[in-house]
Amino acid sequence: MEVLGPVLEIVHIMLDPIAKYFKYHRGVKKYMMILHKKLEELKCRKDDIESRLNIDLLLSGKTLKKEVQLWLDGACKIISQVDSLSKEVGDMKYLSRARLGKKITVTIKIVDEHHRKGDFVDRLVIDAPTGNKVTLPTTELVGKSTARRNMEQLWDCLMDDSCRKIGVYGMGGVGKTTMIKLIHNRLLEETNKFDHVIWVSVSKFASVTQLQDKLARAIGVCMPENESEMVRAAKLFAMIRTMKNCVLIFDDVWEAFQLEDVGIPEPGADNKSKFVLTARLADVCLRMGCKQIKAELLSEEEAWNLFVEKAGLDVISPHIEPIAKEVAKQCACLPLAIVTIARSLKGVTESCEWRNALEELRDSTRGHHDMRRVFEQLKFSYNHLDDEKHRNCLLYCALYPEDFGIRRKELIERLITGGVIDRMCSRRAAFDKGHAMLNKLEKACLLECVMNKSEDNKQVKMHDLVRDMVIHVNGISSRLMVKSGMHLREIPDGNYWTEDLEMVPLMHNYISGIPSDVSPMCTRISTLLLASNHCLTMIPDPFFMHMATLEVLDLSDTSIEALPSSISKLGKLSALLLRRCAKLRLVPSLEKLILLRKLDLCHAGIKEIPQGIEMLINLRYLNLHTPYLEFLPCGVLSKLLNLQVLITFGASKTSKVKGYEVASLRKLETFSGQFYNIHEFNIFVHSISTRGREPDMYFIQEGEYHTVTFKEEPESFGKHVKLVKCFIGRGDDELVLPNGIQSLDIHDCHGVASLCDISSLNNATNLRSLEISKCDDVKYAFRASSSTHFRSLESLRLIDLLNFVSLSYKAGAAALPNDMFSNLKSFRIHRCPNIKRLFTPGLLLQLHSLSVIEVTFCPQMKDIIAEDNDESIENHSIDMKKTTNHPMLRHLVLCELPKLKSIYTQTLHCDSLQVIEVFGCPRLNRIPFSPSPVPSNLDKILATKEWWESLEWDQPNAKTAFQPYFKNCIPHKLKFINRSI
């Protein structure tokens, strides 16, 4: 018996687990039924609680207790666990039944316990907070004037009741979040205007559901996960609607969203609320309907002061300060970069360490280790771009040197040539695509717009740190050659020419030659840019031997004299750019370069076209605008059937083209050239008229060869025809103008006595710009009996007309046909020696759109506006009070008019007047503009001090009123000559 007791105990110990095992094994189905019942009870309690909450939250403006929120979150988690367990049971294997049976019993206890905890005796909600009163931790404002200016602009918008939605945008690291945090904290202190200030950190990309969750947490309400976005939005809307005088701040928004989708009431006068966001993309602010405020970079002085503040006073020691200033420059006025780098160098007193840091910062592919944090900030914007095309566009910008203003048209040409912009139906469409891409990058603050007065010379610039980031991203994969430093005087050594190299930007350096034994092994290279190495005279033949994949070769603006014969073997070459290679005489045969799409020989030194050019059947762009070219063979152009751009004008006096050859190029979009004669010109015009499509842009000169100031960029041509020493009249070869002509220049031609003779030409009445020069037959602009109309004409220039005496053959306003110049905006007359008076009051009145008047170098000119002897109120029925008003005039220029006595004897009211320029008019002693009031848009009056002091004034306060606008200037006569011509 003594032995039996222990034995039984051992048996019990062994059988108990076995019994439990069989219990769990057999009871899986029963346990699942119990679990589902318990779970249903839990769900019912959860639904009851949420129903109570809906009433309390929506109607009373209360907020959820945190213990209730915790219970609801736990219930959701348990429900999810039971769903997973049910699926596991459904897929159950025989041997896993006991394990799952045990797991189910444990879950039953968890569900039961959580159900019991949900029996809340007290209320589920508490009073909502009166606003987020927590002050956000932040640093002090850096860049006192720039940042303070940005911050005050934002504050003014918040205080302005008419401004309801505000967007602050700028590049990463510029200080947007710091500024908006300071605004948030300042709003908390000034509670007299706003009762609630709510901060939501969005960061990166967020769906509507995620935005709702972030907003709900910020205002302290419950957002169940299983509800639809619409229901969640309704709850948030009802909650926020109770908060009057509310400022809602969303920081770091990456994508625009609809406020109502999230549940945010539209800010308005009824709720007196504001919505503020920060973003890197200006487009986000625009699409959200916000007033945009750009967070600007620091000035150089502010950047240096901030650097010294963070790095410590050691940096101003004599042996460190020069290096430290160079280090600070590498931070490119970006606050994040300045603070990061300055702190990393705080306490460093050895100049060798500073020099090492500077070298690391200059090496964009490796970079200073602390700069990587800055790059990560900028890289996020880079990665957020829609597609690889935009990233490649930035890569092309990074090919240019630091702080380099890149002409937009030049850059777009590179993007087209490099295949970044896909092949499109036309070059205009491709350029439109290019401009759209650059605009998007500007709005993303990855490119900067360089302001330029000339529309044709618009530029973009890449911030130095953005450039370093792009190079850093692409340089890691060895795609891009990056040679630290600038002003290279020799080609980089072999270590830089790796097999994986794809792009080699070496332009704008001082490379003078390439050693004859250099033959880089670059089996993947696609782009080689050696442009603007003005000292480069020779490239050895072996240099291109191992570059079979080369697609773009740019040798523009070099002094190269001959291209190596190995270029003929570059079978994948698509662009050969030799612009302004004035010393170039020898180009090898191009017949094997059948993939070539662009050949630019503008101002190249060649005397004959390259051999084999007629074989380039894929050529889209051919520029032969070079004065050295002696002859253009017939029959070559007509074989290049895919040409879209053809520029032959300016090649030479003998390099003219046949009408049928150009007309045969049915894909031609842009053309510049000179035909053999008017007959050939007419053949071209008739041909394009017959097929119903003419080039989008052209510059055509007909008649004798005449050098002119020529815009080299095809996109600047417009639709322009220049006639030189032609007879304009009726005859066997009567001139026919193209349908869409916009500009016409007539130089030294016969058969033109007035504009009436020009209007008789087909399509001339559609002109927008007309210039007549050195036509001695012209005495008047129009005749009294004429029914001529130039309703589309915007610019009229009369230059060097020896016998020109008046605009109208018969004086008086009635002489001008109604609406003849109804759209004329600019009138310039230059070097017309016999004209004495320009306008009558009635004539000027009819030119109601005129905004620019320039009269220069007309020695007999006495009056700009004067009544004719035969002109009276009775015979043309014009109210003379109206003749004193010219609301559109903006710019008046009078230069070298020695006999000019009067602009107008009465008072002129010109509200739009901006600039007055008067030089070389010694007899003019009065200006007719009223000082009561001074024209509201007046910007400046340019003249000599001597002339200004000699003026007589009709009213005693007139000089005092105009004095602030006067600027003493000494004119350069050539300026007016060039502007007129």
Side-chain angles (χ1 to χ4, degrees):
M1 292 296 293
E2 293 179 359
V3 176
L4 184 60
V7 170
L8 290 174
E9 187 176 348
I10 291 171
V11 171
H12 178 74
I13 292 172
M14 294 177 63
L15 290 178
D16 189 54
I18 295 173
K20 287 182 179 180
Y21 175 84
F22 282 108
K23 177 183 175 183
Y24 292 143
H25 191 279
R26 291 194 307 268
V28 169
K29 186 175 181 180
K30 181 179 72 174
Y31 296 152
M32 280 303 296
M33 291 175 62
I34 296 171
L35 178 59
H36 282 134
K37 182 179 179 181
K38 294 288 185 182
L39 183 66
E40 194 63 32
E41 292 174 357
L42 179 65
K43 285 182 177 180
C44 289
R45 175 155 289 182
K46 177 175 174 289
D47 290 343
D48 290 342
I49 290 173
E50 287 178 345
S51 297
R52 289 168 59 191
L53 284 174
N54 286 337
I55 297 173
D56 290 340
L57 291 176
L58 294 177
L59 300 181
S60 64
K62 304 287 185 177
T63 188
L64 182 66
K65 279 185 175 181
K66 292 194 179 296
E67 64 173 324
V68 178
Q69 177 69 66
L70 189 63
W71 187 91
L72 288 170
D73 291 343
C76 291
K77 185 177 181 181
I78 290 171
I79 292 170
S80 177
Q81 289 174 348
V82 172
D83 288 341
S84 298
L85 183 58
S86 297
K87 184 177 180 181
E88 194 175 352
V89 170
D91 299 333
M92 172 179 60
K93 304 293 184 183
Y94 182 80
L95 295 178
S96 62
R97 288 178 63 90
R99 177 183 61 80
L100 287 174
K102 183 179 181 180
K103 188 174 181 179
I104 294 168
T105 58
V106 172
T107 305
I108 290 172
K109 292 179 181 179
I110 293 172
V111 173
D112 196 45
E113 177 68 15
H114 199 73
H115 179 268
R116 184 182 58 78
K117 288 181 179 180
D119 185 14
F120 295 103
V121 178
D122 298 330
R123 296 183 66 184
L124 303 176
V125 295
I126 57 175
D127 291 335
T130 58
N132 185 355
K133 296 296 184 181
V134 179
T135 300
L136 298 175
T138 184
T139 58
E140 64 181 19
L141 205 62
V142 297
K144 301 300 181 185
S145 60
T146 300
R148 180 64 61 185
R149 184 172 62 249
N150 292 337
M151 187 170 170
E152 289 306 318
Q153 186 181 358
L154 174 55
W155 184 259
D156 290 344
C157 290
L158 285 168
M159 297 300 110
D160 183 358
D161 291 336
S162 65
C163 187
R164 292 294 174 185
K165 294 195 285 187
I166 309 154
V168 180
Y169 74 96
M171 67 186 300
V174 78
K176 302 182 296 296
T177 298
T178 299
M179 179 175 68
I180 207 74
K181 280 183 178 180
L182 290 168
I183 287 287
H184 171 276
N185 294 344
R186 185 175 170 185
L187 286 170
L188 293 181
E189 298 170 4
E190 302 190 15
T191 56
N192 58 328
K193 189 172 181 66
F194 298 105
D195 299 327
H196 307 272
V197 184
I198 300 169
W199 177 278
V200 178
S201 292
V202 179
S203 299
K204 301 184 180 178
F205 316 109
S207 65
V208 170
T209 300
Q210 290 169 328
L211 288 173
Q212 290 172 335
D213 287 337
K214 290 174 182 286
L215 179 56
R217 282 195 293 270
I219 62 177
V221 297
C222 170
M223 281 290 109
E225 294 181 1
N226 60 339
E227 286 185 335
S228 67
E229 289 180 355
M230 186 179 298
V231 172
R232 291 156 62 94
K235 290 182 178 181
L236 286 169
F237 188 92
M239 182 67 189
I240 298 173
R241 189 173 55 183
T242 64
M243 300 179 181
K244 303 294 184 181
N245 302 322
C246 174
V247 178
L248 192 58
I249 300 172
F250 273 46
D251 182 46
D252 201 13
V253 178
W254 283 87
E255 292 180 343
F257 59 90
Q258 296 293 326
L259 296 183
E260 60 268 25
D261 290 347
V262 177
I264 302 172
E266 189 71 23
D270 56 338
N271 53 31
K272 298 181 181 178
S273 296
K274 305 272 187 175
F275 178 78
V276 183
L277 67 84
T278 68
R280 297 195 190 181
L281 311 177
D283 196 47
V284 171
C285 303
L286 182 67
R287 286 189 287 152
M288 293 284 291
C290 296
K291 176 180 174 58
Q292 298 179 48
I293 298 174
K294 184 176 182 181
E296 302 285 355
L297 294 166
L298 304 180
S299 67
E300 290 187 6
E301 181 181 358
E302 290 171 333
W304 172 243
N305 291 337
L306 177 62
F307 190 88
V308 173
E309 178 186 334
K310 300 301 179 184
L313 296 179
D314 291 335
V315 300
I316 60 175
S317 61
H319 67 290
I320 289 179
E321 184 173 357
I323 311 171
K325 284 188 173 181
E326 290 299 314
V327 171
K329 283 183 180 179
Q330 294 298 313
C331 298
C333 300
L334 186 68
L336 175 63
I338 295 167
V339 172
T340 302
I341 299 303
R343 284 176 176 169
S344 73
L345 293 169
K346 188 176 180 66
V348 176
T349 57
E350 295 289 336
S351 58
C352 59
E353 291 188 57
W354 280 91
R355 285 194 298 270
N356 179 64
L358 177 60
E359 186 62 28
E360 287 183 350
L361 287 169
R362 284 175 171 169
D363 188 350
S364 302
T365 56
R366 187 174 72 251
H368 189 277
H369 58 91
D370 287 300
M371 189 59 86
R372 291 169 191 165
R373 177 187 165 211
V374 180
F375 281 176
E376 285 303 313
Q377 285 278 336
L378 300 175
K379 185 180 174 183
F380 198 82
S381 298
Y382 176 81
N383 290 336
H384 181 59
L385 294 171
D386 286 345
D387 54 34
E388 195 65 25
K389 299 292 184 182
H390 287 87
R391 288 186 278 273
N392 284 335
C393 180
L394 283 177
L395 179 58
Y396 268 81
C397 295
L399 301 181
Y400 289 86
E402 286 186 358
D403 206 34
F404 192 88
I406 311 168
R407 294 177 63 250
R408 285 178 73 113
K409 289 183 177 180
E410 175 187 329
L411 178 57
I412 293 172
E413 279 284 5
R414 288 205 186 279
L415 299 177
I416 294 172
T417 302
V420 176
I421 296 176
D422 292 327
R423 297 179 186 179
M424 305 189 76
C425 59
S426 67
R427 275 180 59 84
R428 174 173 289 181
F431 264 80
D432 289 343
K433 177 70 173 177
H435 283 297
M437 291 175 69
L438 296 181
N439 290 342
K440 179 159 189 171
L441 293 173
E442 284 181 10
K443 290 176 181 178
C445 297
L446 291 169
L447 288 181
E448 302 171 23
C449 176
V450 180
M451 301 304 293
N452 197 297
K453 291 182 180 180
S454 171
E455 189 74 16
D456 289 337
N457 200 31
K458 276 189 173 181
Q459 296 180 348
V460 294
K461 187 168 67 173
M462 179 176 270
H463 188 277
D464 290 350
L465 288 182
V466 175
R467 177 180 182 271
D468 290 344
M469 178 272 296
V470 172
I471 292 175
H472 180 74
V473 170
N474 291 279
I476 292 173
S477 62
S478 303
R479 289 180 58 197
L480 174 67
M481 176 189 282
V482 180
K483 184 74 172 72
S484 61
M486 297 222 2
H487 310 313
L488 301 178
R489 297 190 177 275
E490 58 184 25
I491 205 82
D493 60 37
N495 294 329
Y496 286 90
W497 298 88
T498 63
E499 284 195 41
D500 294 332
L501 202 60
E502 294 181 22
M503 308 184 79
V504 181
L506 293 172
M507 63 276 210
H508 299 284
N509 282 295
Y510 296 92
I511 298 171
S512 58
I514 300 174
S516 59
D517 59 343
V518 174
S519 181
M521 185 66 69
C522 299
T523 55
R524 297 180 60 184
I525 190 169
S526 64
T527 304
L528 175 58
L529 308 177
L530 283 164
S532 296
N533 283 281
H534 300 287
C535 301
L536 182 62
T537 58
M538 186 271 294
I539 298 178
D541 199 59
F543 186 72
F544 296 106
M545 291 296 291
H546 305 293
M547 297 186 183
T549 57
L550 191 63
E551 296 177 9
V552 178
L553 176 59
D554 190 355
L555 297 171
S556 302
D557 293 294
T558 62
S559 298
I560 192 166
E561 298 174 1
L563 294 183
S565 59
S566 54
I567 281 183
S568 299
K569 300 177 182 178
L570 300 176
K572 293 189 176 181
L573 200 65
S574 64
L576 179 58
L577 312 178
L578 302 166
R579 177 174 286 244
R580 290 183 292 275
C581 294
K583 295 184 179 180
L584 181 64
R585 295 292 183 269
L586 179 61
V587 177
S589 173
L590 305 179
E591 63 178 344
K592 293 183 180 179
L593 306 184
I594 58 173
L595 296 181
L596 198 66
R597 296 172 61 87
K598 181 173 183 177
L599 178 59
D600 193 343
L601 292 163
C602 179
H603 287 292
I606 59 170
K607 293 185 177 181
E608 57 184 27
I609 63 172
Q611 184 180 354
I613 197 172
E614 68 277 3
M615 304 299 292
L616 305 180
I617 57 174
N618 288 301
L619 202 62
R620 263 67 171 173
Y621 181 110
L622 176 61
N623 193 332
L624 296 172
H625 175 63
T626 172
Y628 307 100
L629 192 64
E630 295 178 349
F631 182 64
L632 192 59
C634 292
V636 172
L637 297 178
S638 58
K639 295 180 181 179
L640 307 177
L641 296 178
N642 285 307
L643 270 183
Q644 294 175 330
V645 177
L646 173 62
I647 303 173
T648 63
F649 178 78
S652 69
K653 294 181 180 181
T654 57
S655 295
K656 299 182 180 182
V657 294
K658 290 280 189 180
Y660 78 90
E661 282 202 86
V662 181
S664 67
L665 304 175
R666 295 184 174 272
K667 295 183 180 180
L668 198 63
E669 298 175 22
T670 303
F671 170 63
S672 170
Q674 184 170 9
F675 293 99
Y676 278 94
N677 48 48
I678 288 181
H679 175 69
E680 294 293 339
F681 173 75
N682 286 344
I683 289 176
F684 167 72
V685 173
H686 283 303
S687 176
I688 60 177
S689 299
T690 301
R691 68 173 184 246
R693 183 183 181 275
E694 64 181 25
D696 296 327
M697 287 165 281
Y698 53 79
F699 181 92
I700 302 170
Q701 180 169 300
E702 196 45 64
E704 289 192 12
Y705 181 83
H706 181 249
T707 57
V708 294
T709 302
F710 178 72
K711 294 181 178 180
E712 295 178 3
E713 296 82 3
E715 287 66 39
S716 303
F717 289 170
K719 296 184 177 183
H720 194 152
V721 173
K722 185 177 181 71
L723 306 175
V724 181
K725 292 189 176 181
C726 297
F727 177 79
I728 300 176
R730 303 195 177 276
D732 293 337
D733 279 327
E734 180 184 347
L735 182 71
V736 179
L737 297 177
N739 288 329
I741 185 172
Q742 297 171 345
S743 300
L744 177 63
D745 294 353
I746 301 175
H747 179 81
D748 199 6
C749 291
H750 296 286
V752 181
S754 71
L755 270 62
C756 304
D757 299 311
I758 299 169
S759 68
S760 64
L761 297 174
N762 187 38
N763 298 316
T765 54
N766 297 324
L767 288 171
R768 293 171 58 185
S769 174
L770 175 62
E771 178 180 302
I772 306 174
S773 61
K774 289 193 175 182
C775 295
D776 294 343
D777 295 340
V778 177
K779 294 183 179 181
Y780 310 99
F782 52 87
R783 301 187 188 97
S785 59
S786 173
S787 59
T788 301
H789 292 280
F790 286 93
R791 292 192 182 95
S792 300
L793 196 67
E794 297 179 3
S795 173
L796 176 61
R797 299 178 302 279
L798 306 176
I799 301 172
D800 288 318
L801 302 181
L802 182 63
N803 297 310
F804 186 73
V805 294
S806 175
L807 286 176
S808 173
Y809 175 73
K810 178 182 178 181
L816 182 63
N818 289 332
D819 298 330
M820 179 176 182
F821 294 114
S822 58
N823 204 36
L824 190 67
K825 294 179 174 62
S826 174
F827 178 77
R828 292 175 169 90
I829 181 167
H830 178 69
R831 284 195 310 225
C832 294
N834 289 306
I835 188 169
K836 296 180 180 181
R837 185 200 63 207
L838 198 57
F839 304 111
T840 64
L843 178 58
L844 185 64
L845 177 62
Q846 288 185 276
L847 301 176
H848 51 79
S849 297
L850 196 61
S851 61
V852 177
I853 299 175
E854 284 192 14
V855 187
T856 56
F857 295 88
C858 296
Q860 299 297 322
M861 183 69 71
K862 293 182 179 181
D863 302 290
I864 301 301
I865 308 168
E867 294 183 29
D868 188 76
N869 294 333
D870 298 328
E871 185 179 47
S872 66
I873 298 178
E874 289 77 18
N875 63 21
H876 56 72
S877 301
I878 294 177
D879 184 353
M880 292 310 295
K881 290 183 179 180
K882 292 184 179 180
T883 64
T884 62
N885 289 288
H886 202 287
M888 299 302 292
L889 185 64
R890 292 186 298 105
H891 200 151
L892 175 64
V893 178
L894 306 172
C895 177
E896 295 302 320
L897 308 174
K899 293 187 178 182
L900 183 68
K901 293 181 179 181
S902 166
I903 297 175
Y904 187 37
T905 57
Q906 298 187 31
T907 300
L908 268 176
H909 294 282
C910 302
D911 294 335
S912 299
L913 192 63
Q914 296 176 1
V915 180
I916 304 171
E917 298 183 56
V918 181
F919 297 104
C921 303
R923 297 189 182 185
L924 182 66
N925 58 11
R926 176 183 175 273
I927 57 175
F929 306 106
S930 172
S932 303
V934 172
S936 58
N937 293 307
L938 189 61
D939 180 43
K940 54 193 172 185
I941 301 174
L942 304 178
T944 62
K945 186 175 182 181
E946 180 184 4
W947 177 81
W948 179 256
E949 295 298 336
S950 71
L951 288 179
E952 299 174 2
W953 303 91
D954 295 337
Q955 301 178 32
N957 67 332
K959 184 175 182 180
T960 304
F962 283 107
Q963 185 68 45
Y965 305 98
F966 169 69
K967 294 184 180 180
N968 184 26
C969 294
I970 300 175
H972 194 294
K973 292 183 181 181
L974 187 59
K975 161 189 158 184
F976 293 99
I977 295 173
N978 290 339
R979 185 161 63 187
S980 297
I981 296 177

